[in-house]
Amino acid sequence: MQKDTVIFDLIDKELERQRHGIELIASENFTSLQVMEAMGTSLTNKYAEGYPGKRYYGGCEIVDQIEQLAIDRVKQIFNCAYANVQPHSGAQANAALMMAVLKAGDKILGLDLSMGGHLTHGSPVNFSGKLYKAFFYGVKKDTGLIDYEMLEEKARTEKPVLIICGASAYSRDIDYARIRKVADEINAFVLCDMAHPAGLIAKGLLSSPFEHCHFVTSTTHKTLRGPRGGIILMKTDFENPFGLKDPKGNVRMMSHLIDMAVFPGTQGGPLEHVIAAKAIAFGEILTDEFTSYINQVQLNAQAMAKAFVAKDYHIISGGTDNHLMLIDLRNKNITGKKAQETLDKAHITLNKNAVPFDDKSPFVTSGIRVGVPAITTRGMKEADMQTVVDLIDRILTNIDDEKNIATVKEDVKSFMNQFPLYPELK
Ligand SMILES: Cc1ncc(COP(=O)(O)O)c(C=O)c1O
């Protein structure tokens, strides 16, 4: 087959884009080279429906070992009894978990998308809001912190089967014990979707959801710095509460229901090339090197928040405990959309984001979300956060000045030359 130079040229251009830019999308990161390498291997050719030792296809003796290693390593990271590493993405992990726990029409309670929640936590445009009856809690207007009283009140009045915590744009730690307390009152399950802060939770920099939440889902490509994908975890397995029995009349465990909900419930063959990359990333997370990395992520986020506040940027909740912050730009008279598009011209990449109680549409928004996992992987330290904030501020304070944008773009490029990305690649 002739080499597809059209696509490979575009791949080269994307690598150059990543090298030159300041990557501040909170959900992105740069994997190690070995994580990327694993995804471009012969494992992509293998069908392996089922689970290690229980496959529907022959020739699975090698991928069984790989998948088992991924399972064992992630269980070690989070000290938990159960792991399913097959979900193709975070959304797939949530879909499968909900399929295991809920019936169509059951009630769920999650953080409102417009307050920092995720689409899969009940949004009407997502399966979670179409299949299940979704109710929402929010954050408090004055503090930007989760409104636990509202969560408790909704839980008591609506009695959802599943309470979901975790967020896409929330910079503070979560009181899992408090959520579990009200869940126990109404016999609800608690799911923590730790997709964003998982890397910080892995190393004890934030409270652990595992003690209090029945189920934990995550993506593997954000602060965990692995390949794009999802996982489902449980601290302890337990008997399913639905009375489902196997042909011999035995009650099945929750782990069985979740495995069945992933495959054959919501997916077909697992992506063993991605599962190999997950196993490698999990191995990396178990090292001291990752501990230093994720500590630096938290330090950098705090340094960045401080630098923004010093320039009169309004950070929701006043700061951050994790790897990201949400900035309300209304006092600067700039929309999130305009900020994102203009910063993009200078190769500073982030996303517009609704802020709590936003008066603008989700396509425009009043805010931006800024995260440091990717620039920390590039090697930046606290002092560099000041430089990044200065570059952003130079754009946002002269938003229509094309000459200024061009100058900042050059400065971004020379700044990023100090932090090489994949020098092994041409
Ligand atoms: C909290 C949360 N859950 C789930 C997802 C979905 O992950 P994916 O994009 O891999 O489907 C995201 C992605 O941004 C997320 O932030």
Coordinates of all heavy atoms in Angstrom, one line a residue, residues 27 89-92 94 118 120-121 167-168 193 195-196 219 221-222 229, ligand 1:
S27 N -8.5 19.2 30.1 CA -8.7 17.8 29.9 C -7.7 17.1 29.0 O -7.8 16.0 28.6 CB -10.1 17.5 29.3 OG -10.4 18.4 28.2
S89 N -14.1 5.2 26.3 CA -14.0 6.6 26.7 C -14.6 6.8 28.0 O -15.3 5.9 28.6 CB -14.6 7.5 25.6 OG -16.1 7.3 25.7
G90 N -14.5 8.0 28.5 CA -15.2 8.4 29.8 C -16.7 8.3 29.7 O -17.4 7.8 30.6
A91 N -17.2 8.7 28.5 CA -18.7 8.7 28.3 C -19.2 7.2 28.3 O -20.2 6.9 28.8 CB -19.0 9.4 27.0
Q92 N -18.4 6.3 27.6 CA -18.7 4.9 27.6 C -18.7 4.3 28.9 O -19.5 3.4 29.3 CB -17.7 4.2 26.7 CG -17.8 4.5 25.2 CD -19.0 3.9 24.5 OE1 -20.0 4.6 24.3 NE2 -18.9 2.6 24.3
N94 N -19.4 5.8 31.8 CA -20.6 6.2 32.5 C -21.8 5.5 31.9 O -22.7 5.2 32.7 CB -20.7 7.7 32.4 CG -19.7 8.5 33.3 OD1 -19.1 7.8 34.2 ND2 -19.5 9.7 33.0
H118 N -20.9 17.3 33.8 CA -20.6 16.8 32.5 C -21.9 16.3 31.8 O -22.8 15.9 32.5 CB -19.6 15.6 32.6 CG -19.1 15.1 31.3 ND1 -19.6 14.0 30.6 CD2 -18.2 15.7 30.4 CE1 -19.0 13.9 29.5 NE2 -18.1 14.9 29.3
T120 N -22.7 13.6 30.5 CA -23.1 12.3 30.8 C -23.7 12.2 32.2 O -24.0 11.1 32.7 CB -22.0 11.3 30.7 OG1 -20.9 11.7 31.5 CG2 -21.5 11.1 29.3
H121 N -23.9 13.3 32.9 CA -24.5 13.3 34.2 C -25.9 13.7 34.2 O -26.5 14.2 35.2 CB -23.7 14.2 35.2 CG -22.2 13.8 35.3 ND1 -21.3 14.5 36.1 CD2 -21.5 12.8 34.7 CE1 -20.1 13.9 36.0 NE2 -20.2 12.9 35.2
A167 N -17.0 16.4 38.2 CA -17.3 17.5 37.4 C -16.2 17.7 36.3 O -15.2 17.0 36.3 CB -17.3 18.8 38.2
S168 N -16.6 18.6 35.3 CA -15.6 18.9 34.3 C -15.0 20.3 34.5 O -13.9 20.6 33.9 CB -16.3 18.9 32.9 OG -16.7 17.6 32.6
D193 N -17.5 10.4 39.2 CA -16.8 10.5 38.0 C -15.6 11.4 38.2 O -15.7 12.6 38.2 CB -17.8 11.0 36.9 CG -17.1 11.2 35.6 OD1 -15.9 11.0 35.5 OD2 -17.8 11.6 34.6
A195 N -13.0 11.8 36.4 CA -12.3 11.9 35.1 C -11.2 13.0 35.2 O -10.1 12.9 34.8 CB -13.2 12.2 34.0
H196 N -11.6 14.2 35.8 CA -10.6 15.3 35.8 C -9.5 15.1 36.8 O -8.3 15.1 36.5 CB -11.3 16.6 35.9 CG -11.6 17.3 34.6 ND1 -10.6 18.1 34.0 CD2 -12.6 17.1 33.7 CE1 -11.1 18.4 32.8 NE2 -12.2 17.9 32.6
T219 N -11.8 9.0 33.0 CA -11.1 8.9 31.8 C -9.7 8.5 32.1 O -9.3 8.7 33.3 CB -11.1 10.2 31.0 OG1 -10.6 11.2 31.9 CG2 -12.5 10.6 30.5
H221 N -7.1 9.8 30.1 CA -6.2 10.7 29.3 C -6.0 12.1 29.8 O -5.4 13.0 29.2 CB -6.7 10.8 27.8 CG -8.2 11.0 27.7 ND1 -9.1 10.0 27.8 CD2 -8.9 12.1 27.6 CE1 -10.4 10.5 27.7 NE2 -10.3 11.8 27.6
K222 N -6.6 12.4 31.0 CA -6.5 13.7 31.5 C -5.3 13.8 32.5 O -4.2 13.6 32.1 CB -7.8 14.2 32.1 CG -8.9 14.2 31.1 CD -10.2 14.7 31.7 CE -11.3 14.9 30.6 NZ -12.1 13.7 30.4
G229 N -9.4 7.1 26.9 CA -10.1 5.9 27.3 C -10.8 6.1 28.6 O -10.8 7.2 29.2
Ligands
LIG1 C1 -16.2 14.5 34.2 C2 -16.1 13.9 32.9 N1 -16.7 12.7 32.6 C3 -16.7 12.1 31.4 C4 -16.0 12.7 30.4 C5 -16.1 12.1 29.0 O1 -14.9 11.5 28.6 P1 -14.7 11.2 27.0 O2 -14.5 12.5 26.3 O3 -13.5 10.3 27.1 O4 -15.9 10.4 26.6 C6 -15.4 13.9 30.6 C7 -14.7 14.6 29.4 O5 -14.4 15.7 29.3 C8 -15.4 14.5 31.8 O6 -14.9 15.7 32.0

